[in-house]
């Protein structure tokens, strides 16, 4: 089984602890000059979201998490569930609203997202870094105002609202960065 | 995961102000030592010898460009150097400039024969061995600004390549070493006019630094407001005060208990009987952050089991004549009243290698030219090594060592 030694520890590493998958969200190297090297880590449980503090000494190792990452397209939302389909196997996966989190704001039918599976159960999903959404409603902007530092809320076709520059109009297609939720630019059809 | 911003990777991670501060510190440091009659020396960073320490891992370097069968297996390191120079006379052996060339050079066909043991040179973890050979050869007070290398040491306070300022001073007591360290620190970290260095203020504010400047943040104190002479606390006093235990008399079981009582998260694989491991854990988690808050602090008289290359004073209990300097909870320097007895060095080397083997680490050569120098007679001396990059960090208000290096490891 794959494992990581302490010298490979870094933020973002996905490891297995007591049967659960965890992601390393912090790893601090401390060492008294003539003493034992220690790695002080924070690990988040990918199933429960709980955070653990763990200290390791050099030479320790952690098993790699038994997870798979698949590309799946978003099919539809059914009350509190989001249904995706694996692009290769056509198998369908359901994620809860909690697992999807804020990413619902970007989800449009057919959008290809990355889904992490543990024992073939979906645990997290990540939308593409950039998505294009259509503005369905916003206050009219002052013509000719090209300033980007003045923003107004714009409601898009997923039902979410994003702050956009004043010149954005209803019907515009806008590009949003899903990692920050920031407006990037207007795009043509 | 290449993004356009990686184009900036060629640039230094330190600001020009910080790089100028580095240069200024180097200059002032040299003035400090020169004014006190120290001779600046340069010793090999690539050497056939290396310090044998349980927790220091040197980079091994393959010297010949022609790879050799069986090289790199690690097995040769365990033969403790016996195969080198059968029995050189002490004079030849630690002479700073030995001549490895054959008497008549005409017939050399294999350049490797010029190198005593080509598969086993090391990048130095400190210039300690070579500097002590100079002492044994009659050097008097010496200092070196050395680039040194330690494997697997990377973090906010660590870079695998870093700068050590190391100095040796003939003399009998640890006191002179502590005094000089205090003077140097005071000189470099003194406030300029009414403006203290930004360092501690930033350490106190920045949540990212909570692991290094935790104590500063808690007390809101700034060590550099009142640099002054360093204050002193013995290892024993510090453990009694901050951890409620006597580090010299507590047995391993009591240390494990104390770790639990203090709520310290311990590695699951720590052997219960590893006293020094538990002491280190308590030091890192509950003591360091209290040291050097009001002013620089010297922590002294370490447990005899952590003597490294320091002399042991046979008090009851015996203690290692060793100290460390702390500022804002950060370890800046480490000093010894130097071990002089070659037999004792042999015993410690063997013990360190036994621990390394038990931890599945490569054993390091136990024979060295330092042993030969000690057999010929090393004068009583104190030696101190100071982490130059960390000193600049404190003065610059940096929370990561990368901020004071032009090109840290990930951009090297």
């Amino acid at each position: 089984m794959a494992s990581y030694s302490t010298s490979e520890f870094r933020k973002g590493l996905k490891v297995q602890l007591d049967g659960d998958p965890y992601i390393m969200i912090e790893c601090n190297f401390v060492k008294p000059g003539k003493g034992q090297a220690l790695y002080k880590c924070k690990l988040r449980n990918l199933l429960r979201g709980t955070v653990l503090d763990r200290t390791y000494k050099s030479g320790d190792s952690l098993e790699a998490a038994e997870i798979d990452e698949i590309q799946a397209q978003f099919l539809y939302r059914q009350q509190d569930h989001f249904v995706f389909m694996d692009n290769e196997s056509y198998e369908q996966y359901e994620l809860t609203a909690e697992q999807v989190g804020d990413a619902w704001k970007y989800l449009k039918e057919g959008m290809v997202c990355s889904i992490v599976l543990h024992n073939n159960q979906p645990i997290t999903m990540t939308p593409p870094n950039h998505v294009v959404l259509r503005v369905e409603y916003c206050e009219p902007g002052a013509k000719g105002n090209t300033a980007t530092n003045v923003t107004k809320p714009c409601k898009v076709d997923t039902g979410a609202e994003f702050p956009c520059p004043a010149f954005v109009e209803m019907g515009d297609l806008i590009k949003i960065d899903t990692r920050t939720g920031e407006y990037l630019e207007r795009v043509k059809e | 995961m290449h993004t356009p911003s990686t184009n900036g990777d060629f640039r230094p991670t330190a600001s020009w102000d910080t790089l100028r501060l580095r240069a200024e510190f180097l200059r002032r440091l040299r003035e400090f030592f020169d004014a006190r009659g120290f001779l600046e020396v340069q010793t090999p960073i690539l050497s056939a010898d290396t310090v044998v320490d349980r927790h220091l891992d040197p980079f091994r370097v393959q010297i010949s460009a022609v790879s050799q069968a069986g090289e790199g297996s690690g097995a040769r390191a365990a033969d403790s150097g016996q195969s080198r120079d059968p029995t050189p006379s002490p004079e030849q052996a630690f002479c700073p400039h030995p001549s490895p060339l054959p008497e008549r050079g005409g017939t050399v066909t294999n350049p490797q024969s010029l190198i005593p043991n080509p598969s086993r040179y090391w990048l130095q973890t400190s210039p300690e061995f070579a500097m002590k050979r100079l002492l044994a050869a009659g050097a008097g007070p010496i200092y070196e600004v050395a680039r040194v290398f330690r494997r697997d040491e990377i973090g906010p306070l660590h870079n695998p390549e870093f700068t050590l300022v190391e100095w040796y001073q003939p003399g009998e007591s640890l006191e002179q070493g502590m005094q000089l360290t205090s003077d140097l620190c005071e000189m470099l970290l003194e406030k300029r006019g009414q403006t203290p260095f930004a360092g501690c203020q930033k350490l106190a504010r920045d949540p990212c630094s909570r692991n290094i400047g935790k104590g500063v943040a808690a007390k809101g104190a700034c060590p550099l407001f009142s640099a002054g002479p360093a204050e002193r606390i013995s290892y024993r006093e510090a453990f009694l005060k901050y951890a409620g235990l006597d580090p010299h008399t507590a047995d391993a079981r009591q240390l494990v208990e104390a770790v639990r009582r203090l709520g310290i998260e311990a590695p699951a694989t720590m052997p219960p009987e590893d006293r020094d491991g538990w002491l280190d854990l308590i030091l890192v988690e509950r003591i360091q952050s209290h040291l050097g808050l009001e002013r620089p602090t010297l922590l002294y008289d370490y447990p005899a089991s952590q003597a490294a290359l320091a002399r042991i004073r046979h008090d009851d209990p015996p203690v290692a004549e060793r100290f460390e300097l702390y500022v804002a909870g950060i370890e800046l320097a480490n000093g010894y009243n130097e071990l002089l007895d070659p037999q004792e060095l042999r015993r410690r080397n063997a013990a360190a290698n036994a621990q390394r083997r038990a931890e599945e680490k490569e054993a390091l050569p136990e024979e060295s030219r330092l042993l030969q120098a000690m057999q010929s007679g090393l004068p009583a001396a104190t030696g101190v090594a100071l982490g130059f990059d960390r000193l600049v960090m404190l003065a610059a208000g940096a929370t990561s060592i990368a901020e004071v290096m032009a090109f840290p490891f990930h951009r090297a």
Side-chain angles (χ1 to χ4, degrees):
Chain A
M1 182 176 300
S3 67
Y4 301 109
S5 70
T6 42
S7 56
E8 296 169 288
F9 281 13
R10 61 179 190 281
K11 239 173 157 169
L13 207 64
K14 296 191 180 84
V15 298
Q16 188 93 0
L17 274 184
D18 307 324
D20 279 2
Y22 284 80
I23 183 165
M24 197 171 275
I25 53 176
E26 215 173 274
C27 182
N28 254 309
F29 177 79
V30 289
K31 182 181 189 296
K34 295 282 171 184
Q36 172 85 60
L38 298 169
Y39 297 76
K40 299 178 63 180
C41 305
K42 279 193 192 303
L43 298 148
R44 190 172 62 225
N45 187 312
L46 285 170
L47 301 178
R48 291 176 243 292
T50 48
V51 174
L52 279 182
D53 284 303
R54 283 282 180 275
T55 301
Y56 298 94
K57 64 185 183 63
S58 60
D60 286 350
S61 62
L62 284 172
E63 281 175 23
E66 294 168 36
I67 53 169
D68 295 303
E69 206 157 345
I70 58 160
Q71 298 298 308
Q73 57 168 306
F74 175 57
L75 296 182
Y76 56 90
R77 177 176 185 164
Q78 196 171 47
Q79 280 119 30
D80 269 358
H81 286 80
F82 293 77
V83 183
F84 292 81
M85 183 180 69
D86 184 337
N87 279 355
E88 282 180 21
S89 68
Y90 305 114
E91 199 169 332
Q92 292 192 9
Y93 295 96
E94 278 189 12
L95 279 92
T96 63
E98 200 182 355
Q99 286 171 324
V100 169
D102 274 353
W104 70 268
K105 293 178 181 175
Y106 311 108
L107 284 180
K108 285 170 74 169
E109 201 178 299
M111 186 177 281
V112 177
C113 301
S114 156
I115 292 183
V116 173
L117 302 176
H118 177 249
N119 293 333
N120 208 36
Q121 294 300 309
I123 52 178
T124 62
M125 62 79 58
T126 315
N129 290 344
H130 298 148
V131 296
V132 173
L133 305 170
R134 183 179 296 280
V135 177
E136 292 206 323
Y137 178 78
C138 63
E139 298 291 335
K143 279 275 178 217
N145 184 353
T146 55
T148 50
N149 55 351
V150 181
T151 64
K152 62 181 180 185
C154 291
K155 192 171 180 187
V156 297
D157 47 353
T158 61
E161 265 185 11
F162 294 98
C164 298
F167 56 76
V168 171
E169 291 173 22
M170 280 197 272
D172 280 354
L173 290 174
I174 55 169
K175 190 186 276 188
I176 303 284
D177 187 322
T178 63
R179 294 162 297 187
T180 58
E182 274 171 20
Y183 164 93
L184 295 174
E185 59 181 353
R186 271 192 297 191
V187 293
K188 298 226 162 72
E189 292 279 351
Chain B
M1 292 254 278
H2 272 264
T3 58
S5 67
T6 46
N7 291 341
D9 269 5
F10 81 89
R11 292 179 194 286
T13 49
S15 71
W16 289 111
D17 277 349
T18 304
L19 293 178
R20 275 189 285 270
L21 184 67
R22 262 190 98 97
E24 182 198 323
F25 268 35
L26 275 178
R27 187 174 48 72
R28 289 169 64 194
L29 193 137
R30 285 191 162 102
E31 282 168 10
F32 176 90
F33 284 110
D34 295 345
R36 284 163 180 75
F38 281 71
L39 178 70
E40 178 167 9
V41 296
Q42 291 189 300
T43 61
I45 290 310
L46 184 60
S47 167
D49 295 331
T50 188
V51 175
V52 185
D53 189 290
R54 176 182 172 191
H55 295 302
L56 291 183
D57 296 306
F59 289 90
R60 172 207 284 265
V61 178
Q62 180 182 322
I63 296 302
S64 170
V66 183
S67 70
Q68 295 180 319
E71 196 173 57
S73 67
R76 296 192 63 176
D79 71 9
S80 47
Q82 304 288 5
S83 60
R84 198 172 55 222
D85 318 16
T87 42
S89 78
E91 260 108 314
Q92 289 166 339
F94 66 88
C95 165
H97 302 289
S99 167
L101 288 164
E103 305 267 331
R104 289 179 214 288
T107 57
V108 176
T109 51
N110 177 6
Q112 286 166 26
S113 66
L114 302 181
I115 300 165
N117 200 337
S119 72
R120 202 171 53 202
Y121 268 59
W122 312 85
L123 292 179
Q124 297 299 281
T125 53
S126 80
E128 181 160 11
F129 275 26
M131 291 184 80
K132 287 186 192 172
R133 283 163 58 193
L134 287 175
L135 278 183
I142 48 175
Y143 75 100
E144 176 162 4
V145 179
R147 299 302 279 265
V148 296
F149 300 81
R150 297 181 182 182
R151 281 168 69 180
D152 285 333
E153 298 198 2
I154 189 156
L157 290 174
H158 295 83
N159 195 64
E161 175 181 358
F162 65 103
T163 302
L164 265 187
V165 177
E166 189 149 324
W167 65 90
Y168 291 85
Q169 205 177 4
E172 278 293 340
S173 85
L174 191 60
E175 174 56 33
Q176 59 169 11
M178 289 170 68
Q179 190 58 52
L180 199 72
T181 306
S182 169
D183 290 349
L184 176 65
C185 189
E186 191 179 349
M187 184 274 290
L188 286 174
L189 292 180
E190 72 183 348
K191 54 184 176 182
R192 303 160 170 185
Q194 286 310 302
T195 318
F197 280 114
C200 46
Q201 292 171 315
K202 189 168 168 193
L203 276 175
R205 264 201 321 267
D206 188 343
C208 299
S209 66
R210 63 184 181 278
N211 289 307
I212 47 182
K214 189 156 46 183
V216 180
K219 292 188 91 174
C222 171
L224 311 182
F225 280 124
S226 55
E231 61 184 8
R232 300 171 184 214
I233 184 167
S234 74
Y235 192 92
R236 180 169 184 270
E237 286 163 359
F239 270 73
L240 284 172
K241 186 168 175 188
Y242 301 116
L245 64 93
D246 186 329
H248 301 305
T249 59
D251 61 25
R253 193 183 48 79
Q254 289 168 317
L255 293 178
V256 176
E257 222 163 73
V259 163
R260 199 168 301 139
R261 170 172 56 78
L262 294 164
I264 297 171
E265 157 62 27
T269 54
M270 282 270 285
E273 71 283 2
D274 182 7
R275 274 192 91 249
D276 288 318
W278 294 104
L279 287 172
D280 279 345
L281 187 64
I282 296 170
L283 181 75
V284 162
E285 293 284 0
R286 289 294 182 274
I287 295 178
Q288 284 187 341
S289 62
H290 296 285
L291 305 178
L293 301 189
E294 314 283 340
R295 46 170 59 188
T297 298
L298 291 160
L299 184 69
Y300 66 95
D301 282 357
Y302 275 63
S305 54
Q306 297 178 23
L309 297 183
R311 262 199 265 185
I312 290 171
R313 190 171 69 241
H314 291 280
D315 290 358
D316 183 24
V319 292
E321 293 198 304
R322 178 184 154 197
F323 70 84
E324 284 188 347
L325 173 74
Y326 285 85
V327 177
I330 296 174
E331 176 198 334
L332 270 190
N334 180 38
Y336 304 148
N337 189 5
E338 295 294 344
L339 176 68
L340 306 177
D341 175 3
Q343 293 316 316
E344 177 62 16
L345 178 59
R346 280 213 163 78
R347 277 192 292 277
R348 291 189 195 175
N349 283 346
N353 266 338
Q355 287 171 320
R356 292 181 63 87
R357 287 193 197 93
E359 289 164 4
E360 291 175 11
K361 284 184 174 179
E362 180 175 38
L364 298 169
E366 290 174 23
E367 292 298 317
S368 66
R369 289 188 172 93
L370 173 62
L371 265 175
Q372 295 163 8
M374 286 166 78
Q375 271 153 6
S376 119
L378 186 63
T382 46
V384 183
L386 178 138
F388 180 74
D389 310 277
R390 290 186 185 173
L391 189 73
V392 179
M393 275 181 74
L394 283 166
T399 51
S400 153
I401 200 165
E403 289 172 51
V404 301
M405 294 182 153
F407 304 118
F409 193 63
H410 64 272
R411 287 199 187 177

